[in-house]
Amino acid sequence: MAVLEPDGRAHFFDFFANMPGLGLRGGRKARKVDVRVDYGGAVGVYRAGAASVAVPGLLRGLLEVHAAHGKLPLKRLVSPAIRAAREGVPLSRLQAYLFTLIEPILTLTPEARTLFAPKGRLLQAGELLKNPEYAGFLERLPDEGANAFYTGDTARALVDYLQSAGGLLTEADLAAQRPLAGPPRADRIESATLYRSPGPSRGGAAVARLLQGYFEEPHGGEGEAARYLGLARAMHREVEGPGLHRGTTHLSIRDAEGRLLAMTVTNGEGSGLVAPGTGILLNNMLGEDDVLSPDRPSPKPGSRLVSMMAPVILQTPTDAYALGSGGSRRIRTAVFQVAAHLLQGWELARAVEAPRLHYENGRLEVEPGLEPATLEALAVEFELNLWPHRDFYFGGVHAVSRSGGAWGDARRDGHTANGWSR
């Protein structure tokens, strides 16, 4: 989470997952379920199951940030979520489609099937997703705080449940999980400043390198072909180098005082296991090669896992923007392209909605909407995969500006909202 205060002070909070296994004695037989996801133009391989669950950090992080900086009572903040969990939320077409992609995960256990396939099949667009157990958990949260999840009976039940299925999580892991807080890294890009994670998350650093590489050469007045060729070349240099990838959902906020907040959170694809007594679908961070690669040494228990999430604040001489994206490997390239457009004077909506590129595995993925001359110029240097339509594969950059602009990326059902809804 990146925050820029009205007076110019900046903060960064990291509450990503930790590596489990503190105090664990003896080996655990890993029981992961391989899942292949076909995006229509690319295929991803993920793993679920108890052995994929890392130490959850989001809840404690949000609670500690609220305790330090929040103004509204926690009970008031969770009331809309309680109502939604109990009464149900209708699935959008995109959400229902995403459910089909990860069906093996959402139907892995009886508890998951109760949530996502209550009628013996996956919920469909327009049907209500209900989670009464989660509503009950949220009702306890204002009084119990982090203890509602990280200590006591709930923690013991969660640990017993996961370890019986081959997981690594311990009560010591849950008790030790804490957010990291401090000043962000500030990178100078042209006449702007990019505020991003100081580490261990590497997404913001990748966005900074992409922008610096792109602006080594002028592109602003050279037409679409030159601009997009510059974007593709910057991606090629960055992706061919070292880097890790991960991320999923993003929120950008501007409050009435002009404070900006960019927050990206992830549950991965989910592990298929639901934490007992909470209704919470647990993460599968240890099932992501981008986070826990077989080619690198395993992190020590208790250490913060590295991700490519990239919540950033971009401050220009005339405005400031909070932005970020979901989209795993596409996070850095999506945020980079929107930021580059903004630095070239584009309006926020145009910057978000513009056709996107993504370079991976020696191929340039290309959204529709570019001019034929641009495609010809790209094809001279890259192997192209032309997508027939805009797709959530290319990320979902949701952004707000201090001056009052806001735009939700339609690729991922992005929306904007004003004010507090009671």
Side-chain angles (χ1 to χ4, degrees):
M1 175 192 292
V3 180
L4 183 63
E5 301 283 359
D7 62 7
R9 291 178 297 123
H11 317 284
F12 198 91
F13 304 93
D14 181 345
F15 33 78
F16 191 46
N18 279 1
M19 182 68 190
L22 286 174
L24 189 65
R25 297 187 178 184
R28 287 288 188 277
K29 183 179 180 181
R31 304 176 190 176
K32 297 178 182 177
V33 178
D34 289 343
V35 178
R36 291 175 59 85
V37 177
D38 188 347
Y39 293 100
V43 176
V45 179
Y46 308 101
R47 280 160 291 281
S52 72
V53 179
V55 188
L58 175 61
L59 178 61
R60 189 184 288 277
L62 291 177
L63 289 172
E64 292 200 11
V65 170
H66 174 263
H69 302 281
K71 295 182 179 180
L72 295 175
L74 186 59
K75 187 174 183 179
R76 182 180 176 189
L77 291 177
V78 299
S79 62
I82 292 172
R83 183 169 60 251
R86 182 161 286 125
E87 297 177 1
V89 177
L91 287 188
S92 70
R93 290 184 179 182
L94 177 60
Q95 289 168 330
Y97 167 64
L98 296 180
F99 276 20
T100 66
L101 295 183
I102 57 172
E103 181 173 4
I105 294 175
L106 300 184
T107 57
L108 182 63
T109 62
E111 295 82 6
R113 290 193 293 272
T114 297
L115 287 176
F116 303 109
K119 299 178 181 179
R121 57 162 175 78
L122 285 177
L123 291 170
Q124 300 176 357
E127 294 184 322
L128 295 178
L129 173 62
K130 297 183 179 182
N131 194 337
E133 193 170 48
Y134 184 54
F137 172 75
L138 290 178
E139 287 177 333
R140 305 198 312 269
L141 193 61
D143 294 329
E144 299 181 24
N147 292 335
F149 185 85
Y150 290 93
T151 63
D153 293 342
T154 298
R156 284 189 290 273
L158 173 58
V159 168
D160 290 345
Y161 174 51
L162 290 180
Q163 290 193 7
S164 68
L168 303 174
L169 190 72
T170 69
E171 290 186 59
D173 290 323
L174 293 169
Q177 178 76 340
R178 291 293 186 278
L180 306 176
R185 178 71 179 266
D187 295 294
R188 195 70 177 169
I189 312 289
E190 295 286 277
S191 59
T193 300
L194 184 79
Y195 295 102
R196 46 90 171 179
S197 169
S201 174
R202 299 180 183 178
V207 173
R209 288 193 300 269
L210 284 161
L211 287 169
Q212 289 163 344
Y214 176 71
F215 283 107
E216 286 178 354
E217 302 176 5
H219 308 289
E222 301 178 10
E224 182 186 272
R227 288 195 302 271
Y228 273 86
L229 192 57
L231 294 172
R233 286 170 175 167
M235 292 180 208
H236 177 264
R237 289 192 295 268
E238 169 65 21
V239 173
E240 288 299 302
L244 301 175
H245 330 278
R246 188 60 213 143
T248 182
T249 301
H250 182 81
L251 295 172
S252 291
I253 299 170
R254 181 185 67 87
D255 69 11
E257 298 174 352
R259 184 176 292 102
L260 293 177
L261 181 151
M263 181 176 71
T264 310
V265 299
T266 182
N267 206 39
E269 293 71 39
S271 63
L273 286 81
V274 179
T278 70
I280 296 174
L281 180 70
L282 296 164
N283 68 74
N284 71 324
M285 292 295 95
L286 303 186
E288 300 282 346
D289 285 343
D290 307 328
V291 175
L292 193 64
S293 172
D295 299 328
R296 295 186 298 272
S298 180
K300 294 181 179 180
S303 62
R304 184 60 43 91
L305 295 174
V306 176
S307 82
M308 275 298 288
M309 292 185 287
V312 299
I313 305 287
L314 180 66
Q315 187 169 34
T316 71
T318 59
D319 210 343
Y321 305 88
L323 63 156
S325 177
S328 190
R329 293 173 174 86
R330 283 82 60 195
I331 289 177
R332 56 182 171 176
T333 53
V335 174
F336 153 59
Q337 289 171 86
V338 174
H341 295 327
L342 291 171
L343 289 174
Q344 291 177 317
W346 289 22
E347 293 182 354
L348 188 58
R350 181 188 177 198
V352 172
E353 294 298 323
R356 288 198 194 130
L357 311 174
H358 176 69
Y359 182 82
E360 188 174 343
N361 296 327
R363 189 171 68 175
L364 190 66
E365 310 291 338
V366 183
E367 276 194 314
L370 296 178
E371 298 170 358
T374 302
L375 296 176
E376 291 176 7
L378 292 171
V380 172
E381 298 188 23
F382 301 96
E383 176 188 347
L384 305 186
N385 182 36
L386 304 180
W387 288 61
H389 51 77
R390 296 200 317 164
D391 196 89
F392 80 100
Y393 173 85
F394 291 88
V397 181
H398 311 313
V400 297
S401 69
R402 177 167 282 170
S403 61
W407 200 261
D409 196 332
R411 294 173 180 84
R412 291 195 168 219
D413 274 358
H415 295 280
T416 61
N418 295 313
W420 171 259
S421 177
R422 292 182 181 275

